Amino acid sequence: MTLRLPINRLSRPALSSLPTATSTSSPNPYPSSVLSRWHQTLRTRSMATVVPPVTQNSTSYSGPTAMVFMNMGGPSSLPEVGPFLSRLFADADLIPLGRLQSYLGPLISRRRTPKIQDQYAAIGGGSPIRKWSEYQSTEMCKLLDIKCPESAPHKPYVAFRYADPLTEEMYQRLLDDGFGKSGRAVAFTQYPQYSCSTTGSSLNELWKWRKRLEGKDPEGGGIKWSVIDRWPVHPGLVEAFAQNIEEQLATYPADVRKDVILLFSAHSLPMSVVNRGDTYPAEVSATVYAVMQRLSFSNPYRLCWQSQVGPSAWLGAQTQDTVMSYVKKGHKDLVLIPIAFTSDHIETLYELDQEVIHEAQKEGGTGVKRAESLNGSQVFIEALADIAKTHIRSGETCSRQMGIRCQGCKSERCLEQKRFFMNTKRDVEEVIR
């Protein structure tokens, strides 16, 4: 049984229904005010350098470069829901169930599958996260070829943790495409805020398949990895969120607009993970504060947390409880902002749109709305390209922050993974225990 998917499944062009840079469903390309606000480097040249296609013989340190988008993923069809949930509940990094993980994980996933299938059916029969990830990565690589020609061509790949294309499928494609002979690959997390449960889990999986598919001492040198492990306050990310919020605020009457409450909603974490020292809550808060600074603190705001699973304690306050509390207190105008997601998926299209907002409107919250997700935002895609360009030119293998473990971390797998990625291209100091 091969692990490799047909290339045309994973690298097909963006669907014609997706927005383009000039589409009315996504923000227009940068006006001069936006460019001056954050990076002059976001200006692009008119033509890219012509480069040969990716082949084994052409692979080198300077180019081509594989840009691997990492995310949790989602089932693209209803039959994929069961396997998706099985992988998700088997991941102790995301949902720690203790010594009974191997028993409770499959049990919970089987029981939840019919309910979750109904939810995916309600949003069109599957998650759009693969479509958006392939679109964003493809468009980013086009910009990178212009902005960073020394490492071109940049080839887009997508690696999901729990759904197709899985990490092992992506890794096999890299080897088939010739990157195993000292080719360069950048693992680019699509979680802007780092958590051991999300980015950490994806990197653990990447490290696992590197060992299985390349071995300890790969012939030809193996793939040379570096990691973009967090980017919570990048000016382009902040600008993309701010523009979507401003668009939604503009739909309210001018006399009430400044009183609309902005509710930033992020995926929650088990308190056992938070208390271990995970940086995610702090980094999400940093994103929220940066966005509010960009908005000149124009509106009252709060941060809340969604998507709790199971009976154990999770980080709160919960999004649905927060919305209902404000509605019952007479605050009928609220804007929900999915601040930790880079595209639409079930947490936005079903949980926020069809559960939280629907229930609020039934209780009189007629002005409860949601800001658009980043999806095909040209501002966001420009930001991705800027982040990648800066990383490639820095020569760094990962951020300094990635080298330090959580205070309560006892995972040897985490320690091994961090040592590998920090030492991929150069000797660095011992990972801080």
Side-chain angles (χ1 to χ4, degrees):
M1 172 180 170
T2 180
L3 294 172
R4 178 167 57 90
L5 289 179
I7 288 178
N8 61 354
R9 280 189 60 191
L10 293 176
S11 59
R12 64 180 183 272
L15 302 179
S16 59
S17 61
L18 289 172
T20 64
T22 57
S23 169
T24 58
S25 63
S26 61
N28 290 328
Y30 288 105
S32 58
S33 61
V34 173
L35 287 169
S36 62
R37 186 178 294 122
W38 55 291
H39 278 314
Q40 290 298 326
T41 55
L42 288 177
R43 292 178 298 187
T44 60
R45 304 185 187 104
S46 60
M47 295 186 68
T49 303
V50 178
V51 292
V54 177
T55 65
Q56 181 170 325
N57 291 335
S58 70
T59 302
S60 68
Y61 174 77
S62 60
T65 304
M67 302 300 301
V68 180
F69 271 32
M70 300 188 307
N71 211 327
M72 72 184 301
S76 298
S77 64
L78 297 184
E80 296 177 44
V81 172
F84 168 77
L85 292 177
S86 294
R87 299 184 192 104
L88 188 145
F89 282 100
D91 184 7
D93 291 325
L94 180 66
I95 304 177
L97 299 173
R99 291 178 295 177
L100 296 177
Q101 186 99 30
S102 60
Y103 170 75
L104 291 176
L107 179 64
I108 296 172
S109 65
R110 284 196 301 271
R111 288 184 175 180
R112 288 181 62 85
T113 293
K115 176 183 177 180
I116 303 303
Q117 282 179 327
D118 289 343
Q119 293 179 2
Y120 277 105
I123 64 170
S127 172
I129 191 171
R130 178 173 182 170
K131 173 185 71 175
W132 284 120
S133 295
E134 292 178 342
Y135 174 79
Q136 292 166 346
S137 61
T138 298
E139 294 303 303
M140 181 203 71
C141 284
K142 291 177 183 177
L143 290 176
L144 266 183
D145 285 349
I146 300 170
K147 294 172 177 289
C148 198
E150 65 270 23
S151 54
H154 302 88
K155 186 168 183 180
Y157 295 83
V158 172
F160 286 154
R161 183 66 179 84
Y162 313 113
D164 292 335
L166 294 166
T167 304
E168 58 264 40
E169 297 166 353
M170 175 280 302
Y171 214 115
Q172 186 61 57
R173 280 200 60 222
L174 286 177
L175 297 176
D176 292 344
D177 288 349
F179 285 96
K181 295 187 180 297
S182 296
R184 180 171 191 181
V186 178
F188 193 167
T189 181
Q190 292 306 293
Y191 306 102
Q193 306 91 3
Y194 183 92
S195 171
C196 296
S197 299
T198 53
T199 299
S201 177
S202 291
L203 291 175
N204 286 340
E205 190 75 356
L206 184 62
W207 167 228
K208 179 183 79 175
W209 285 104
R210 189 266 181 186
K211 291 188 294 183
R212 291 186 181 183
L213 295 178
E214 291 199 89
K216 185 176 181 180
D217 296 307
E219 181 180 352
I223 298 173
K224 304 303 181 185
W225 285 98
S226 65
V227 180
I228 301 173
D229 51 88
R230 71 197 74 212
W231 33 286
V233 292
H234 185 274
L237 175 71
V238 171
E239 182 64 31
F241 277 129
Q243 288 190 9
N244 285 354
I245 293 169
E246 289 173 332
E247 283 188 10
Q248 191 60 269
L249 284 174
T251 66
Y252 291 88
D255 59 331
V256 302
R257 192 172 300 152
K258 66 181 177 59
D259 297 318
V260 175
I261 299 175
L262 305 181
L263 291 180
F264 295 88
S265 184
H267 201 295
S268 187
L269 280 182
M271 285 306 298
S272 60
V273 176
V274 175
N275 292 335
R276 193 172 64 211
D278 198 282
T279 62
Y280 176 73
E283 294 191 13
V284 172
S285 298
T287 307
V288 171
Y289 195 82
V291 171
M292 290 309 303
Q293 279 187 313
R294 158 60 179 80
L295 295 172
S296 300
F297 297 95
S298 60
N299 293 72
Y301 71 98
R302 284 294 184 272
L303 171 59
C304 45
W305 309 87
Q306 65 178 91
S307 309
Q308 296 86 340
V309 179
S312 62
W314 285 62
L315 181 63
Q318 296 185 25
T319 299
Q320 186 156 19
D321 292 345
T322 300
V323 171
M324 295 306 295
S325 173
Y326 281 126
V327 169
K328 290 177 181 179
K329 291 174 181 176
H331 299 287
K332 298 183 178 181
D333 297 324
L334 311 169
V335 173
L336 290 163
I337 304 110
I339 197 64
F341 307 118
T342 56
S343 70
D344 274 323
H345 43 80
I346 196 167
E347 284 87 351
T348 58
L349 298 176
Y350 187 84
E351 186 176 349
L352 293 183
D353 291 353
Q354 299 191 32
E355 287 188 333
V356 175
I357 294 177
H358 179 70
E359 289 300 315
Q361 291 176 343
K362 287 200 304 184
E363 295 296 324
T366 53
V368 179
K369 305 177 183 180
R370 176 173 70 86
E372 183 181 355
S373 298
L374 298 178
N375 292 339
S377 162
Q378 184 67 17
V379 177
F380 175 61
I381 292 170
E382 291 269 3
L384 293 174
D386 184 67
I387 293 165
K389 180 195 72 174
T390 301
H391 170 77
I392 290 170
R393 288 183 173 173
S394 74
E396 297 293 323
T397 57
C398 60
S399 73
R400 292 288 298 165
Q401 184 73 343
M402 184 174 156
I404 186 169
R405 301 170 73 191
C406 295
Q407 299 95 307
C409 179
K410 295 180 175 63
S411 171
E412 289 302 314
R413 180 177 59 170
C414 174
L415 176 60
E416 189 179 61
Q417 169 253 110
K418 286 179 179 291
R419 281 177 170 161
F420 169 75
F421 285 112
M422 290 192 73
N423 287 280
T424 299
K425 294 189 184 69
R426 56 182 171 81
D427 292 328
V428 295
E429 64 183 351
E430 179 77 3
V431 174
I432 303 172
R433 289 184 176 271

